[in-house]
Amino acid sequence: MKILVIGGGGREHAVIKSLKKNERVTTVYALPGNGGIAADAECYPVKATDLDGIVNFATTHEVDFAVVTPDDPLVLGCVDRLEASGIPCFGPSAAAAIIEGSKVFSKNLMKKYGIPTAESETFTDAEQAIAYLKRGSFPAVIKADGLALGKGVVIAQNFAEAESAVREIMCDKVFGASGNSILVEEFLTGPEVSVLSFTDGKTVVPMVSSMDHKRALDGDRGLNTGGMGTVAPNPYYTEAIAKECMETIFLPTVRAMNAEGRTFKGCLYFGLMLTPKGPKVIEYNCRFGDPETQVVLPLLESDLLTIMQAVREGTLSPDVVRFQKGAACCVVLASEGYPKKYESGYEITLPQTGENESIFVAGAKKEGDRILSAGGRVLGAVATAASLKDAVTGAYALAEKIHFQNAYMRKDIGKRALAALEE
Ligand code: AMP
Ligand code: GLY
């Protein structure tokens, strides 16, 4: 089978490595992929948002199955276009991807169907939002409606910060049309959990839970990033909480999307906060998380392609999704300075990986036989083990063997999770 994967980050590298475990897979194409993914897939320079280019590639290369991973092509309707051209696809339609594409849509959905989430108000006018914030309490959470490269959320500690965030988003349009509407949301507290799930619109099968580390610096300080590391499972996500989330969040969301005529098929990502008043939805994503996927898929025991085909065909059942009992840790190596200014173009030397190790490359380009860093987040060093403690030790041991000039990593990935296990 010829498989096409759209995207070019560490998450896509993890998806590709999992898909390749299936013996039926003969060829994997990645559009655009990257210099590290090139070791596992044939990469072609077609942008993930170039839908015409993608459809043209898929039909001329007679692709048997396509996996669309990033948010923007999903929201633009990449799956609809490929399916209309006769290419079976894993991923939601544009009508369903709106659950991530518009935070106003998803907030209204949760309100309408009684799915627990932060209280909020929607604004299309900056002055009204500012007047509302003036009367409100802090911290307050301000969210641009549309996609904003993961940067559209501001936690304002006081009115001055809130006002400048509103002006940047709504007047200066730092995220373009994504800032035409905003949400002002109640600030929630509690441990955060990421739960990726497979759903065919009828059945929802959660994957192993995970914990992201979004801030740039140790101790959860510094700027928000795309994610500096992950662990799975998330120790705060107990069986009792999982059961509650299934009943109050996962199934109600899938049913709500059906009721709206927007059946979701694909990977539905629940960003949850375990508040003192119970689990609440912080965000939905219409896709695999990055870098959550890098710890979730290495723990998947059953076959990813079989699951993805069942999702598309509407025949998903919980028994095709099996995870091994252990734990996984991903330590991201970034270019020093990320998420602000950084230098790249440095040669990366990679060690051989052992059976319980993986290196998923996020930002690299090929130059002859060498691979050079080409992005903020360069790669993830991943280890699986029977215990979280050993997975963390293993991921750091692997990370220490990877070299490029100006490599930066957090030194405390998994620390909070390990502490929670001891509580
Ligand atoms: P998002 O882009 O929606 O994932 O938001 C980025 C981060 O902002 C989340 O991972 C949370 O840490 C934080 N966040 C978002 N919404 C809230 C909220 N209502 N209360 C507290 N923190 C939030
Ligand atoms: N790691 C968070 C995300 O993928 O949006």
Side-chain angles (χ1 to χ4, degrees):
M1 272 181 87
K2 292 195 225 171
I3 310 280
L4 170 63
V5 174
I6 308 303
R11 161 185 62 195
E12 283 75 14
H13 200 181
V15 167
I16 287 167
K17 282 209 182 178
S18 273
L19 287 169
K20 284 181 71 170
K21 290 183 191 161
N22 184 312
E23 284 172 4
R24 285 183 294 149
V25 174
T26 50
T27 310
V28 181
Y29 301 112
L31 304 182
N34 68 45
I37 290 178
D40 291 292
E42 293 179 31
C43 301
Y44 291 86
V46 177
K47 278 202 189 120
T49 47
D50 175 7
L51 303 197
D52 290 335
I54 290 168
V55 170
N56 186 24
F57 182 96
T59 45
T60 51
H61 288 77
E62 297 177 333
V63 163
D64 297 300
F65 194 76
V67 179
V68 184
T69 1
D71 50 7
D72 28 10
L74 288 167
V75 170
L76 288 170
C78 191
V79 167
D80 310 67
R81 289 282 307 275
L82 284 167
E83 287 277 355
S85 311
I87 313 283
C89 258
F90 176 85
S93 63
I98 193 174
I99 198 164
E100 174 171 3
S102 168
K103 291 193 196 296
V104 173
F105 169 87
S106 58
K107 186 60 77 171
N108 289 340
L109 185 87
M110 290 185 270
K111 280 189 185 161
K112 181 169 172 188
Y113 293 92
I115 298 164
T117 183
E119 294 293 332
S120 78
E121 291 287 333
T122 303
F123 296 94
T124 51
D125 178 85
E127 298 313 322
Q128 282 179 11
I130 290 165
Y132 173 82
L133 282 157
K134 199 159 200 171
R135 298 192 303 272
S137 59
F138 293 92
V141 184
I142 296 158
K143 297 187 172 183
D145 174 41
L147 297 180
L149 302 167
K151 295 183 186 130
V153 176
V154 175
I155 305 203
Q157 299 298 337
N158 51 49
F159 175 69
E161 281 181 27
E163 182 178 16
S164 73
V166 170
R167 292 206 190 282
E168 278 179 21
I169 296 171
M170 300 193 87
C171 308
D172 306 343
K173 298 267 187 248
V174 289
F175 306 120
S178 288
N180 289 350
S181 308
I182 60 162
L183 292 173
V184 177
E185 210 170 86
E186 161 200 20
F187 178 75
L188 299 176
T189 55
E192 279 186 59
V193 183
S194 305
V195 181
L196 282 55
S197 71
F198 292 110
T199 178
D200 62 355
K202 294 182 288 238
T203 305
V204 52
V205 188
M207 298 177 224
V208 62
S209 63
S210 52
M211 181 192 285
D212 197 358
H213 297 67
K214 286 203 162 116
R215 302 293 203 94
L217 306 176
D218 284 11
D220 293 324
R221 291 173 304 112
L223 293 170
N224 253 322
T225 71
M228 293 302 297
T230 35
V231 295
N234 185 320
Y236 291 105
Y237 192 72
T238 60
E239 257 176 55
I241 293 174
K243 189 163 176 285
E244 184 180 354
C245 289
M246 180 58 97
E247 284 160 13
T248 62
I249 295 173
F250 305 162
L251 283 170
T253 301
V254 167
R255 289 183 191 133
M257 290 297 277
N258 287 337
E260 295 294 312
R262 297 175 180 274
T263 295
F264 191 104
K265 289 183 171 197
C267 174
L268 182 52
Y269 167 132
F270 300 92
L272 307 173
M273 197 169 267
L274 308 181
T275 76
K277 291 186 188 156
K280 295 193 182 189
V281 177
I282 290 273
E283 63 163 349
Y284 292 115
N285 291 324
C286 65
R287 51 167 177 86
F288 286 97
D290 190 339
E292 285 90 342
T293 306
Q294 288 90 314
V295 284
V296 169
L297 290 184
L299 293 171
L300 180 68
E301 222 166 41
S302 49
D303 178 55
L304 182 60
L305 181 60
T306 307
I307 299 169
M308 288 182 159
Q309 288 178 314
V311 164
R312 175 180 177 273
E313 284 153 22
T315 57
L316 180 67
S317 73
D319 50 286
V320 297
V321 184
R322 290 186 309 278
F323 282 87
Q324 69 187 61
K325 280 244 168 334
C329 175
C330 170
V331 174
V332 169
L333 271 74
S335 303
E336 177 88 54
Y338 169 78
K340 287 197 146 165
K341 219 167 126 31
Y342 58 81
E343 289 177 3
S344 59
Y346 296 117
E347 181 167 4
I348 308 169
T349 53
L350 298 175
Q352 286 289 341
T353 47
E355 202 186 323
N356 297 323
E357 296 174 335
S358 308
I359 296 169
F360 298 126
V361 179
K365 61 181 179 198
K366 244 185 127 137
E367 209 175 73
D369 287 341
R370 305 187 310 154
I371 61 167
L372 310 180
S373 63
R377 287 188 297 170
V378 176
L379 53 83
V382 178
T384 58
S387 71
L388 184 59
K389 189 162 181 281
D390 290 346
V392 171
T393 308
Y396 274 106
L398 179 60
E400 292 296 343
K401 290 188 228 158
I402 300 168
H403 300 287
F404 55 93
Q405 205 178 314
N406 86 339
Y408 166 77
M409 62 178 138
R410 268 180 67 164
K411 294 285 163 55
D412 66 342
I413 303 301
K415 194 171 166 190
R416 201 147 46 87
L418 287 171
L421 279 178
E422 279 163 20
E423 272 170 18

